[in-house]
C-alpha cells in the first residue's frame, strides 16, 4: 500500500511490537481469534481484553489459550491494569469496534478496561468498525466516528460484503490479514519523519472588504490539519500555518494563525528555512480587495463596485526561489477532471507532488471528512479510493517519505 513498504514488508514492523487487542460486542468478534493468531504470527506481543459484550461471542479461555497468557480484566487481584497497559502498548487495536463501544469511547467513558486504556494511552489507536449497514450509517454512529477521528484515533471504513443478517452492504470487518498489514504499516510509519521539519499551510484565507465582510472559500482546513496530525504522529517537527478554522489544533503541532493571503505568505516564508517538507493545503484566495474600508460599508441603492488585486501565489514564490533538498507538495481543488491542470501546476510552480481532487464529487473536497484524490508526480499518477482525510494524509506522507529518501 505504501512506498515505504515497497522494499520492506510492513508486517516486519510487527516483530517484537507490543499490541493491545481490544475486542468489543459485535458478531464479528467471532473473527477475533483469527486476528490474534495473525498478529502473533507476525511476531507481535499481544495482550487481549474483551468488553462484556464481546464475551457473548468469544471466550476469554479460548483467546488466552491462543495468546499463551491470560486475557486482561479490569480488576486483577484488586488493581486495575489500565495505566500499565496504556503505557506498555505501542499500538491499540479495537477490532471489531461495535457501535455501542464507539459511542462510549467518543464520550470518554471508561467503565470497561478497554475504555480506560483509551483514555490513558498516547499510542496510536485503530478502530475497525463492524456492524449492519443501517446501524453504521445512523447519524449518531457517524457522529461518533467523526468525534473519534477528531480525537486523533484512526477509524477505518468497514469492508463491503455479506453481513451477519445475510444482507450485502457496508459493515464487514476486514480479514485478519488486512488488519495485521494495517497494524504493521502504522508501526512502520511511526518514526519515519522523526525530527524532520514539516511546514503545512491549511484553511482558507479571508480578504477583507471592511471589518465585517470578506472574500473567502468554504475550505474548513480539515485536509491540512489531517496532514499536520499525521506528520506529528510520525515524529516530525510540524509548523501549521492556519487560516481561520473552527478545528482543534492537532497534538504536538505548533500553530501560527493568520487571516489573509499576505499574512499567510509572511508566516510561510518565515517557517520555510526550517522545513524539509512543505505541504500546502491552504485554499488561498486568488484576489483581495484593492481598498479595505476602515468602517462597515453602508448599504446604498447604487451598485457597489469592488476592484480586486491578485494575491501572491505563495507556493510558486517559495518553491520557485529555493526548493533544494525539499519535498514540496501542492493541492489542487478542481471542478472537473483534474490531471491536466495538476500537471501544469506541478511544472509551473516547481512542485514534487500535486494532490488533486474534483471538489464537485459527493464526499470529496470542502467541508467533508472524506476525499478522493489523485497523487500526481512528473512520472506517475495514482488514483486513491474515497478515504477518510486522515488516511489520505498518511498515504501522501508515504510518498513524501519515499521522495525524501531519494533526495
Ligand atoms: O489555486 P491553485 O489551484 O493554483 O492551488 C494550487 C496550490 O497552490 C495549492 O497548494 C495552493 O495552496 C497553492 N496556492 C498558493 N497561493 C495562492 C494560490 C494557491 O500557495 N495564491
Amino acid at each position: 500500500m505504501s512506498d515505504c513498504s515497497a522494499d520492506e514488508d510492513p508486517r516486519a514492523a510487527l516483530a517484537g511490537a507490543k499490541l493491545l487487542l481490544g475486542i468489543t460486542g459485535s458478531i464479528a468478534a467471532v473473527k477475533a481469534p483469527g486476528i490474534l493468531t495473525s498478529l502473533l504470527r507476525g511476531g507481535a506481543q499481544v495482550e487481549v481484553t474483551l468488553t462484556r459484550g464481546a464475551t457473548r461471542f468469544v471466550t476469554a479461555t479460548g483467546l488466552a489459550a491462543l495468546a499463551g497468557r491470560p486475557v486482561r480484566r479490569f480488576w486483577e487481584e484488586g488493581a486495575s491494569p489500565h495505566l500499565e497497559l496504556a503505557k506498555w502498548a505501542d499500538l491499540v487495536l479495537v477490532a471489531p469496534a461495535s457501535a455501542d463501544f464507539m459511542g462510549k469511547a467518543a464520550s470518554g467513558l471508561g467503565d470497561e478496561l478497554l475504555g480506560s486504556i483509551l483514555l490513558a494511552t498516547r499510542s496510536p489507536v485503530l478502530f475497525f468498525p463492524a456492524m449492519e449497514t443501517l446501524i453504521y450509517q445512523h447519524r449518531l454512529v457517524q457522529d461518533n466516528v467523526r468525534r473519534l477521528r477528531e480525537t486523533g484515533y484512526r477509524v477505518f471504513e468497514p469492508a463491503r460484503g455479506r453481513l451477519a443478517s445475510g444482507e450485502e452492504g457496508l459493515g464487514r470487518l476486514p480479514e485478519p490479514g488486512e488488519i495485521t498489514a494495517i497494524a504493521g504499516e502504522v508501526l512502520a510509519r511511526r518514526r519515519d519523519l522523526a525530527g524532520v521539519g514539516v511546514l503545512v499551510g491549511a484553511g482558507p484565507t479571508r480578504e477583507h472588504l471592511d471589518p465585517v465582510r470578506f472574500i473567502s472559500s468554504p475550505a474548513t482546513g480539515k485536509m491540512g490539519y489531517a496532514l499536520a496530525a499525521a506528520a506529528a504522529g510520525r515524529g516530525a517537527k510540524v509548523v501549521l500555518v492556519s487560516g481561520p478554522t473552527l478545528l482543534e489544533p492537532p497534538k504536538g503541532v505548533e500553530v501560527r494563525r493568520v487571516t489573509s493571503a499576505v499574512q499567510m505568505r509572511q508566516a510561510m516564508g518565515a517557517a520555510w528555512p526550517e522545513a524539509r517538507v512543505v505541504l500546502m493545503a491552504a485554499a488561498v484566495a486568488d484576489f483581495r480587495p484593492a481598498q479595505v474600508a476602515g468602517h462597515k460599508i453602508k448599504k446604498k441603492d447604487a451598485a457597489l463596485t469592488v476592484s480586486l488585486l491578485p494575491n501572491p501565489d505563495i507556493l510558486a514564490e517559495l518553491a520557485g526561489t529555493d526548493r533544494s533538498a525539499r519535498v514540496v507538495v501542492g493541492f489542487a481543488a478542481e471542478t472537473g477532471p483534474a490531471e491536466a491542470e495538476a500537471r501544469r501546476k506541478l511544472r509551473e510552480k516547481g512542485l514534487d507532488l500535486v494532490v488533486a481532487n474534483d471538489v464537485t464529487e459527493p464526499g470529496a473536497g470542502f467541508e467533508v471528512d472524506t476525499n478522493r484524490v489523485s497523487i500526481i508526480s512528473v512520472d506517475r499518477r495514482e488514483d486513491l479510493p474515497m478515504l477518510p482525510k486522515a488516511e489520505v494524509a498518511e498515504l501522501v506522507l508515504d510518498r513524501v517519505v519515499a521522495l525524501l529518501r531519494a533526495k
Side-chain angles (χ1 to χ4, degrees), residues 280-282 284-286 311-315 330-334 345 349:
M280 185 55 168
V284 184
D286 289 323
N311 264 332
D313 190 314
I314 301 169
L315 200 55
F331 285 72
E334 304 293 346
K345 284 170 194 167
K349 302 198 192 203

